[in-house]
Amino acid sequence: MAESTTDEHHPEGYDEDFVEAVDEDLQCLICHLPLKEPIQTRCGHRFCKDCLEEYIRRHGSEGQSIICPADRQSLDQNRDVFPDKATERKILSLVIKCPSEGCGWTGELRNKEQSLWYMWLIRHGEPRSIQVHLKSCSFVLLVCNNFSCGAKVQRKHLEQHQLSECPGRILFCEYCSEPHPECQMQDHIKKCNRFPITCPNSCGRSVPRETVSTHNESECPLTVISCPYLRMGCETKVQRRAVESHLDSAVRGHLDLVNARLQETEVDLNITKVRLETAEIKLIKTEDAQRNTETELNKTKNELDRALGLLHLTNKKLKKIAEKVDTTTFVWKIRGFSEILRRAKICEKETLHSDPFHTKTGTESYGYKLKVIINPNGFSSGKDTHLSVCIRVIKGEYDAILPWPFNKMVKFTLIDQQEDPEQRLNVSKSLDTQFCNVGSFSRPLAEENKGRGFPRFISHEELKTRRYIVDNTLFLQVAISPPSL
């Protein structure tokens, strides 16, 4: 008994497109549908190529031996299975009919672009591969693509449907000319700003919906409005069309109201004049007082400016004095620098350490113990391209009586050895230790702290541009001064 299966290339119900019933010999013993790419086994049974390959793949994955689905004889896929071209020619000569209801077209299967199974793809929306006949068949069902329609209509009726029957066809509003689907036109008209509305006052006019309020406020003769003399005291309200009649009949009363309002205005004007004269007198006195105040203020400002100038000069002098007292300068002379740099490029860990030195603290001779470190071939971001410098705090004999952490300004200067000091272009960079990692400048617990400085102090190329190295000797000056304010 052959096993049945469902295959994507054999959609259920496709054989209804054949004019005559398909002989059993031309049907697959697995899917029981007309053979597609028929193959035959050595035992004489026919199957669709894909059906048998899927059967063999499934049994092989389950570790079962490969046998014929029809008679259970063992099969060797490479030797016992071969294409059946004769059967394929028979199938391709079968007569098929157009699947469209009402169409009488028939033709051989071989005349289809890609066989009957391809027809199934056409039915399910593959227009790029549709056959010549189906492209022009009047009975093919097409989907109306008008707004929210989706109805299926035969090709010969589609144009008439889209133009005069489809509820999704586009119509133009007769009032505002905006396009809307026919099924939404009534909803649009209920909100259309240009739709004519009868005046709410029943004056007999029809105006666009968007101008109803303007019509009532400024045009409608039946709108009730206040008398033009409302500001004079007339509180009468009449329809717009009756305003002239009211004015003619109430002339005397309006004149009395205007006269009374005029007298009130004269009294108010006299009071205002008196107040204005009083305010002018106060203003003159205030201006005189302001001028006197401005004069005194200018005198005070000039005196303050002179005092600030003197204070500024005094502070500058005091700062210079403090800097001279508290500044420590250490000059490091490094001989044979070219050979040192050559070795550093070969041995990446090559560093130079200066002799330790102490800073000054006011007029005292004791201070922090420091040393300078140079990496000729650079470290971190300056590796292989720059000369790097850093300062390092060392455990000293005066640490117990010094304030910690070490908060100073450290200035590194590479000296240009030009003979004329005015032509020297020294390279200087300053490090304010109060903004650095506190651990590097706290009181040392070990012999020395981690150093801080400049990985890219000066590039190897820049070292060659001036007289920074003379007689193979380099001078690096380090100045320790109070921190910046």
Side-chain angles (χ1 to χ4, degrees):
M1 191 70 178
E3 296 185 5
S4 62
T5 184
T6 300
D7 197 341
E8 292 182 357
H9 73 280
H10 273 146
E12 184 178 354
Y14 76 95
D15 58 338
E16 65 184 13
D17 293 322
F18 289 100
V19 173
E20 298 179 357
V22 180
D23 191 85
E24 290 185 0
D25 290 342
L26 303 181
Q27 295 181 9
C28 175
L29 293 178
I30 294 179
C31 66
H32 302 293
L33 298 174
L35 291 161
K36 179 187 177 184
E37 297 184 77
I39 56 177
Q40 187 174 2
T41 63
R42 67 179 177 81
C43 53
H45 298 103
R46 297 186 180 92
F47 306 93
C48 296
K49 181 176 181 293
D50 289 345
C51 289
L52 186 59
E53 288 180 351
E54 173 61 21
Y55 168 84
I56 293 174
R57 185 199 62 77
R58 186 169 63 251
H59 280 67
S61 65
E62 295 174 356
Q64 302 178 13
S65 59
I66 307 303
I67 58 175
C68 174
D71 59 11
R72 305 298 183 181
Q73 293 189 29
S74 61
L75 292 177
D76 185 322
Q77 186 177 6
N78 296 324
R79 294 183 303 173
D80 299 337
V81 179
F82 50 88
D84 192 343
K85 293 296 181 180
T87 300
E88 185 174 16
R89 285 194 296 272
K90 289 181 181 181
I91 292 176
L92 292 177
S93 66
L94 294 176
V95 179
I96 59 172
K97 60 183 179 180
C98 177
S100 301
E101 184 177 356
C103 181
W105 178 89
T106 61
E108 284 191 358
L109 182 58
R110 72 177 69 255
N111 295 329
K112 306 286 280 185
E113 283 185 351
Q114 293 187 21
S115 82
L116 183 61
W117 298 275
Y118 187 73
M119 174 71 75
W120 182 82
L121 295 176
I122 293 172
R123 291 178 180 176
H124 289 74
E126 294 291 338
R128 62 179 177 272
S129 304
I130 196 167
Q131 306 171 58
V132 174
H133 168 71
L134 291 180
K135 288 181 179 179
S136 59
C137 179
S138 300
F139 296 89
V140 169
L141 290 177
L142 301 177
V143 177
C144 175
N145 57 9
N146 280 346
F147 174 82
S148 190
C149 179
K152 294 183 178 180
V153 185
Q154 289 182 338
R155 178 181 276 117
K156 61 183 179 180
H157 299 311
L158 182 61
E159 183 176 1
Q160 176 66 22
H161 167 79
Q162 291 178 330
L163 294 177
S164 59
E165 300 173 2
C166 178
R169 67 187 186 279
I170 300 299
L171 302 178
F172 290 90
C173 176
E174 60 180 304
Y175 305 106
C176 68
S177 300
E178 289 184 3
H180 293 278
E182 189 272 342
C183 59
Q184 296 182 355
M185 185 57 72
Q186 291 303 317
D187 291 336
H188 165 70
I189 289 177
K190 292 178 182 179
K191 300 181 291 184
C192 180
N193 288 332
R194 301 298 298 169
F195 184 79
I197 301 294
T198 302
C199 174
N201 294 331
S202 302
C203 71
R205 286 189 58 186
S206 292
V207 295
R209 181 181 278 117
E210 63 185 355
T211 62
V212 170
S213 59
T214 302
H215 167 74
N216 288 341
E217 293 174 2
S218 59
E219 299 175 1
C220 181
L222 300 184
T223 300
V224 176
I225 61 174
S226 298
C227 172
Y229 285 88
L230 175 64
R231 296 182 62 187
M232 298 295 109
C234 181
E235 299 180 353
T236 302
K237 293 186 177 182
V238 295
Q239 292 180 338
R240 182 177 278 109
R241 64 183 179 180
V243 170
E244 293 298 329
S245 175
H246 166 70
L247 293 176
D248 291 341
S249 62
V251 172
R252 181 66 184 178
H254 289 162
L255 288 176
D256 291 342
L257 289 173
V258 170
N259 183 51
R261 180 55 60 88
L262 181 60
Q263 291 178 1
E264 292 175 0
T265 302
E266 288 179 351
V267 173
D268 291 341
L269 180 59
N270 290 331
I271 294 173
T272 302
K273 288 174 65 177
V274 173
R275 290 176 177 174
L276 181 59
E277 290 173 354
T278 304
E280 287 178 349
I281 294 172
K282 291 182 178 180
L283 179 59
I284 292 172
K285 292 181 179 180
T286 301
E287 289 176 346
D288 291 340
Q290 182 180 359
R291 282 192 290 270
N292 294 333
T293 301
E294 289 177 351
T295 301
E296 294 297 327
L297 182 61
N298 288 333
K299 291 180 179 180
T300 303
K301 184 180 178 181
N302 292 335
E303 293 176 356
L304 180 60
D305 289 341
R306 286 194 295 271
L308 288 175
L310 292 173
L311 180 61
H312 181 67
L313 291 174
T314 303
N315 286 338
K316 288 180 66 176
K317 291 179 180 179
L318 290 174
K319 185 176 181 180
K320 288 182 179 180
I321 294 172
E323 289 179 350
K324 289 180 179 178
V325 171
D326 289 342
T327 299
T328 300
T329 302
F330 171 74
V331 178
W332 186 9
K333 181 177 181 180
I334 304 172
R335 296 185 177 90
F337 183 78
S338 298
E339 177 61 21
I340 292 173
L341 178 59
R342 187 188 67 81
R343 291 200 309 270
K345 289 184 177 181
I346 297 173
C347 178
E348 297 181 354
K349 297 183 179 180
E350 181 75 16
T351 58
L352 300 179
H353 296 250
S354 74
D355 293 333
F357 63 96
H358 288 83
T359 65
K360 295 180 180 179
T361 305
T363 58
E364 303 297 335
S365 60
Y366 65 87
Y368 300 94
K369 189 175 183 180
L370 308 170
K371 73 174 179 180
V372 183
I373 299 176
I374 289 181
N375 289 73
N377 198 36
F379 64 85
S380 187
S381 61
K383 183 175 176 57
D384 297 329
T385 59
H386 287 70
L387 180 145
S388 305
V389 300
C390 68
I391 192 77
R392 183 174 291 181
V393 179
I394 307 173
K395 182 181 289 188
E397 53 269 35
Y398 305 112
D399 290 352
I401 59 175
L402 294 174
W404 295 97
F406 173 78
N407 288 334
K408 300 289 183 179
M409 181 68 74
V410 181
K411 182 178 181 181
F412 300 96
T413 302
L414 179 61
I415 299 176
D416 184 356
Q417 300 177 48
Q418 295 285 348
E419 294 182 359
D420 186 352
E422 294 183 357
Q423 296 182 0
R424 292 178 181 175
L425 294 178
N426 297 338
V427 176
S428 296
K429 291 188 179 181
S430 297
L431 177 70
D432 195 340
T433 62
Q434 64 181 328
F435 299 115
C436 296
N437 188 334
V438 175
S440 297
F441 296 101
S442 58
R443 182 177 177 180
L445 298 178
E447 287 302 315
E448 53 187 48
N449 290 344
K450 186 177 180 180
R452 283 290 183 271
F454 299 97
R456 299 164 64 91
F457 180 69
I458 184 171
S459 69
H460 294 157
E461 295 298 324
E462 192 178 353
L463 275 173
K464 304 173 184 177
T465 60
R466 304 283 300 177
R467 292 175 60 83
Y468 297 121
I469 303 173
V470 178
D471 295 333
N472 208 14
T473 301
L474 177 147
F475 288 92
L476 179 68
Q477 176 181 291
V478 182
I480 312 297
S481 59
S484 61
L485 299 179

